[in-house]
Amino acid sequence: MDNNSLPPSNTHVLDTLNEVLKQRRHSAAENSYVASLHHKGLNKILEKIGEEATETVLAAKDAEHGGEAQRQAVICETADLWFHSLVMLSHLGMDHQSVLDELAKRVGISGHEEKAARKP
């Protein structure tokens, strides 16, 4: 297996996904799921985020009193939600780094304080 086919490390998976999303955004819709979403437009991407959010919520409810399979379903659904959120950011010409920067700014700050400090 060459280096290009190795899975990315967890610390670099968002960077790797970002590059893949950039490349596939302009691919032919029939050759790439990501390209097909971009070609269908922002509303379709947002629809997928809503769908994945609902599936994540339902999986979490099942996992609360379920077993390992239900817990794994939460992981898979959350991955789908994050992935489609990354597609949305890509569609808007943004990427994950701004989200990570925002999260980093919030570390150590009370959620109540952070929310109160947001501009209306």
Side-chain angles (χ1 to χ4, degrees):
M1 188 183 295
D2 64 22
N3 283 341
N4 292 333
S5 61
L6 290 174
S9 70
N10 289 341
T11 58
H12 300 291
V13 71
L14 292 176
D15 292 331
T16 301
L17 272 172
N18 186 59
E19 288 306 312
V20 169
L21 292 174
K22 280 183 189 177
Q23 293 169 3
R24 293 187 182 163
R25 181 175 181 176
H26 301 291
S27 297
E30 58 274 2
N31 296 331
S32 165
Y33 174 69
V34 169
S36 72
L37 287 173
H38 283 295
H39 286 286
K40 291 174 185 173
L42 183 60
N43 284 345
K44 182 60 176 178
I45 296 166
L46 297 176
E47 180 183 309
K48 287 299 296 179
I49 291 172
E51 176 187 315
E52 298 303 343
T54 299
E55 291 175 0
T56 302
V57 167
L58 294 173
K61 294 211 38 97
D62 290 343
E64 183 176 27
H65 300 291
E68 187 56 35
Q70 289 78 18
R71 296 178 68 74
Q72 185 58 39
V74 174
I75 299 301
C76 292
E77 294 301 343
T78 302
D80 289 346
L81 177 59
W82 289 10
F83 175 80
H84 286 89
S85 296
L86 292 170
V87 173
M88 175 199 62
L89 290 171
S90 173
H91 191 80
L92 296 171
M94 304 165 77
D95 66 33
H96 65 283
Q97 192 56 55
S98 297
V99 177
L100 294 177
D101 293 345
E102 180 62 27
L103 287 171
K105 287 191 304 191
R106 296 179 185 189
V107 171
I109 298 174
S110 157
H112 294 298
E113 290 174 20
E114 186 279 326
K115 190 169 185 176
R118 290 185 203 170
K119 295 178 181 157

